[in-house]
Amino acid sequence: MEPNISYTLEDSLIAGVITAAVMSEQRRPGLWRDMLRALDRGAAGTRESTADAFLFQAMVERLLEEFHRKET
C-alpha cells in the first residue's frame, strides 16, 4: 500500500525557497523577476505545470542524491 503523498507546498515554503535562491546570487536589477521566470520555466516542465510540482521534484532529486552518495 502506497502512502498518500501531498504535492502541495505552503506558500511560505515557496517564498522561502525563492528568497534563499535570490539571496544566494549576486544582487542586480531584475534578479527577482528572473528568478520567478526560472520558477515558471521549471513549473512548465512538470506534468502538473505547477511550482509545487517543480519544487517537490527538486527536493526528491536532492534527497536521492544524498541517499546515493557514499559516506566518507
Side-chain angles (χ1 to χ4, degrees):
M1 172 186 236
E2 291 199 25
N4 184 15
I5 298 174
S6 171
Y7 297 94
T8 303
L9 305 178
E10 296 291 324
D11 289 344
S12 60
L13 177 60
I14 293 172
V17 168
I18 296 167
T19 300
V22 166
M23 299 306 280
S24 70
E25 293 289 317
Q26 183 177 353
R27 306 303 179 274
R28 63 174 173 74
L31 178 58
W32 281 92
R33 179 193 64 231
D34 293 345
M35 195 64 70
L36 291 172
R37 285 182 179 161
L39 180 61
D40 284 342
R41 283 193 309 272
T46 66
R47 184 180 50 173
E48 299 85 354
S49 296
T50 65
D52 286 4
F54 174 67
L55 295 174
F56 183 89
Q57 187 58 46
M59 289 187 288
V60 169
E61 290 170 6
R62 179 61 184 99
L63 176 59
L64 287 172
E65 178 183 309
E66 190 62 29
F67 176 76
H68 291 286
R69 185 176 68 89
K70 293 184 180 189
E71 290 188 35
T72 56

